[in-house]
Amino acid sequence: MPALFVTGTGTDIGKTYVSCALIRALKARGAAVDAFKPVVSGFDPRDAAGSDPARLAAALGDPAGLFRIAPRRYRAPLAPNIAARLEGQTLVLDDLVIDAVARTAELRDGLLLVEGAGGVMSPLTDTATNLDMITALGAPALLVAGSYLGTISHVLTALVALRAARVRVAAVVLSESLDAPDLAQTAGALAPFLGDAALFTAPRRETWDAGPLADHLADHLLAHLGQP
């Protein structure tokens, strides 16, 4: 069963928003889909329902699945390795990879969305980044970016890092940022620099349909990927 690693150009740019919409679109098409967040920081148990894993669980139609989706949760809104250390734990890349591989074994068909913490080069452990986990899994990446001024440079920098590590980029999603330049205009300026990476836009509205993105992934990933 293939896995897709949802990463970003940074934090708070819409990874979970895009993942939730993609989950709903895939489910509407009858596809088997699940989600996994290897590690979450900034998790407030008193507001668990407002957390990113809770939103993923709701999109999956499994409101009680928060703890299954995110087994490693830390309170401090810091890089996961620092947040874990504040609670007396040390994150190890091999453990995070094993967790993700185990989750792939639970779903025979369909797609597992593995959502990272922060951006492509954000640290997960004291010595490893999201990029290290992506390459260890052998999974393609869905790169999510904001539409703020300066995002084009951030997208292209992230793509250089992913491609240098020989990560297959399934698509780039430009998620609309508040008080930012026009989304379509920014996408138009970015597109000529993407090479063979498909570009999708994600307006910030409840009615945004991720169907075209879901169809692209179904056409180009599900039929060709094996176990990570």
Side-chain angles (χ1 to χ4, degrees), residues 33-90:
V33 59
D34 205 349
F36 181 57
K37 281 188 73 74
V39 59
V40 178
S41 56
F43 181 84
D44 183 355
R46 298 167 299 181
D47 186 30
S51 68
D52 286 349
R55 292 165 59 198
L56 292 168
L60 287 165
D62 180 21
L66 183 159
F67 303 108
R68 179 182 65 85
I69 290 171
R72 300 173 188 267
R73 304 172 304 278
Y74 304 101
R75 290 175 178 265
L78 302 170
N81 57 322
I82 299 174
R85 189 156 55 244
L86 290 174
E87 297 186 26
Q89 299 183 30
T90 300

Side-chain angles (χ1 to χ4, degrees), residues 84-228:
R85 189 156 55 244
L86 290 174
E87 297 186 26
Q89 299 183 30
T90 300
L91 294 177
V92 178
L93 179 61
D94 286 349
D95 293 338
L96 302 181
V97 172
I98 289 169
D99 288 347
V101 171
R103 285 298 308 279
T104 67
E106 297 175 9
L107 190 62
R108 291 182 180 275
D109 300 301
L111 184 69
L112 178 70
L113 300 182
V114 181
E115 188 178 304
V120 172
M121 298 304 296
S122 295
L124 289 177
T125 76
D126 291 341
T127 59
T129 66
N130 280 284
L131 181 58
D132 293 313
M133 184 166 183
I134 296 169
T135 57
L137 284 173
L142 179 65
L143 178 63
V144 181
S147 63
Y148 52 83
L149 186 63
T151 194
I152 292 176
S153 176
H154 294 168
V155 171
L156 299 183
T157 300
L159 286 175
V160 167
L162 289 165
R163 287 167 172 165
R166 299 190 177 183
V167 173
R168 181 179 178 186
V169 180
V172 176
V173 180
L174 203 59
S175 177
E176 186 175 22
S177 303
L178 298 178
D179 300 321
D182 180 76
L183 178 62
Q185 185 180 58
T186 302
L190 172 63
F193 295 95
L194 295 183
D196 60 356
L199 176 63
F200 296 85
T201 57
R204 286 285 180 148
R205 58 174 183 260
E206 291 298 322
T207 57
W208 174 55
D209 179 14
L213 175 60
D215 292 339
H216 169 78
L217 294 174
D219 291 343
H220 296 280
L221 292 179
L222 296 182
H224 304 291
L225 293 178
Q227 288 277 5

